[in-house]
Amino acid sequence: MPVDPEVTMIKRLLLVASTNRRLEKLMSTSPLARGLVSRYVAGDTLQEAIAVTRELRAHGIDVSLDLLGETVDDLAESAIATKAYVEAVRAIAENRLGATVSVKLSQLGIGLDPAVCADHLDELLRAAAEVGVPVEIDMEHSSVGPATLEAFRAAVHDHPGTRIAIQAAMRRTPGDLESFTGVTPRIRLVKGAFLEPIEKSLQERKEITAQYRYLADWALVNLPDPAFGTHDDACIDHVKRSADRLGIARRDFEFQMLHGVRRDVQRALAEEGYRIRVYLPYGMQWYPYLMRRMAERPANLLLFLRSLVSG
Ligand code: FDA
């Protein structure tokens, strides 16, 4: 399929906008954005996220809870985010939700002080291990990506159940995957959601999909319990076919999708006997998350603009 230059431009604009603090302030206080937010976000509070988790589990869909919030301005904020995550893992265990948590290390302060971030991550991983809740680490923009991978590398020996997101689009990814020694990492393979320069990242959709499929096969063969974070039929069908060919059972890997995206496919996968986990954000700091979701599907921007016009 040829790449539509207008769509590509809107996508880039949305990704640039996702990091604009002034726009964030403007949008975050606009009641008009709420409709779109509620499609992707469970609610403002952990309690609301727990309620949505229960609903999803009734349909055979597991959850990974994500407390919204990314780059923090000071380390006090990162300490607060860490406590909130500890509260979330305890609530998951108390309520027997079978969920994981997904955490962004920029929220734990990796951009300010990697040593303090490592302490926060350790606090969270210990609290999670105490109650038996797995932790997943999101992969962010390349400005913090390598540091995120190093933090994971340092933590994974003590906490081998931890999962790290790996971006198929990034040129360094195959080397990163080959570079683990003494541990075979649990990964969530995603395409990559950030605006990256051509030296660092594949840019063409077709190329990224091909790389995703190649890495998916590699993960199925080489890694324990891989997770495939995608809504793309071309990738989902490829994973299903490869697993069949390799004789890997449907419960020995996992599909992951974002809350609010392709719910019909989520349910169909569960009904077919595949494991499916939904990434479920909650909290107030939804702006950058929402803008990335709109960049993934610029048609969503039209929905949003329509809601602005119609009030
Ligand atoms: P693609 O973008 O081709 O979408 C396939 C189809 O899915 C579209 O045609 C559309 O129908 C539907 N779709 C996709 N996105 C949609 C949206 N936002 N709204 C409505 N429909 C949509 N990235 C990253 O860099 N670091 C990370 O840690 C993570 N973590 C993560 C966890 C999970 C569970 C998922 C599913 C995704 C991520 N991502 C991520 C995001 C990922 O990198 C990627 O940007 C999106 O998944 C979109 O790529 P797809 O593979 O879904 O294909």
Side-chain angles (χ1 to χ4, degrees):
M1 209 190 345
V3 182
D4 180 340
E6 275 179 30
V7 169
T8 307
M9 199 183 74
I10 294 173
K11 192 176 168 148
R12 293 181 83 83
L13 279 175
L14 285 165
L15 287 174
V16 170
S18 74
T19 55
N20 184 306
R21 289 277 171 115
R22 280 178 68 187
L23 257 181
E24 173 165 8
K25 244 190 180 158
L26 204 77
M27 283 261 299
S28 301
T29 49
S30 158
L32 301 177
R34 285 317 279 197
L36 196 52
V37 175
S38 65
R39 172 179 171 173
Y40 292 105
V41 174
D44 290 347
T45 65
L46 177 59
Q47 283 65 37
E48 285 167 287
I50 289 173
V52 177
T53 302
R54 289 209 170 98
E55 282 166 29
L56 288 166
R57 274 174 68 80
H59 294 284
I61 296 170
D62 284 321
V63 158
S64 187
L65 287 183
D66 162 53
L67 170 65
L68 289 166
E70 316 193 350
T71 308
V72 289
D73 292 324
D74 59 60
L75 290 170
E77 273 182 60
S78 66
I80 292 170
T82 307
K83 300 282 178 242
Y85 267 107
V86 168
E87 187 192 348
V89 295
R90 290 184 180 146
I92 287 169
E94 271 162 30
N95 291 281
R96 296 173 194 277
L97 299 177
T100 67
V101 290
S102 286
V103 61
K104 288 187 173 53
L105 295 194
S106 66
Q107 200 178 4
L108 302 196
I110 203 158
L112 296 176
D113 186 335
V116 173
C117 174
D119 288 345
H120 289 328
L121 181 61
D122 186 57
E123 182 183 341
L124 170 59
L125 290 173
R126 280 170 193 271
E130 258 170 39
V131 292
V133 171
V135 174
E136 312 196 22
I137 300 177
D138 291 342
M139 186 56 72
E140 300 177 70
H141 185 261
S142 61
S143 52
V144 290
T148 298
L149 194 68
E150 287 320 306
F152 170 75
R153 236 189 260 284
V156 73
H157 288 279
D158 287 340
H159 301 281
T162 311
R163 198 185 281 287
I164 179 93
I166 293 286
Q167 296 156 329
M170 295 303 282
R171 296 185 194 277
R172 56 174 286 167
T173 285
D176 285 341
L177 286 172
E178 297 274 12
S179 69
F180 283 92
T181 47
V183 66
T184 40
R186 296 176 78 230
I187 69 162
R188 170 205 303 152
L189 185 64
V190 298
K191 287 185 182 171
F194 296 85
L195 192 59
E196 298 284 0
I198 194 163
E199 321 79 79
K200 293 191 176 170
S201 173
L202 305 173
Q203 307 283 319
E204 295 288 328
R205 193 186 151 89
K206 217 169 129 187
E207 267 185 305
I208 297 170
T209 304
Q211 182 71 343
Y212 190 101
R213 291 158 141 191
Y214 168 76
L215 291 170
D217 285 354
W218 189 87
L220 281 168
V221 171
N222 292 291
L223 301 181
D225 189 23
F228 300 101
T230 181
H231 317 94
D232 186 352
D233 288 332
C235 297
I236 295 168
D237 293 344
H238 180 86
V239 168
K240 286 179 173 177
R241 277 197 304 273
S242 289
D244 270 354
R245 180 172 41 81
L246 294 163
I248 296 173
R250 292 181 180 194
R251 312 299 296 174
D252 287 347
F253 62 94
E254 180 169 288
F255 286 110
Q256 296 193 351
M257 294 194 189
L258 303 175
H259 180 57
V261 179
R262 304 205 74 190
R263 290 176 197 198
D264 51 339
V265 180
Q266 295 173 12
R267 287 193 187 185
L269 286 169
E271 280 159 19
E272 288 165 31
Y274 290 101
R275 277 165 48 207
I276 162 88
R277 188 177 299 281
V278 161
Y279 184 99
L280 184 64
Y282 67 98
M284 317 276 275
Q285 292 177 43
W286 44 260
Y287 174 79
Y289 181 84
L290 183 72
M291 294 305 269
R292 287 199 298 276
R293 301 300 72 89
M294 287 209 271
E296 282 154 7
R297 193 161 180 260
N300 289 346
L301 180 65
L302 293 179
L303 280 181
F304 173 66
L305 291 176
R306 220 175 281 147
S307 78
L308 283 184
V309 172
S310 64

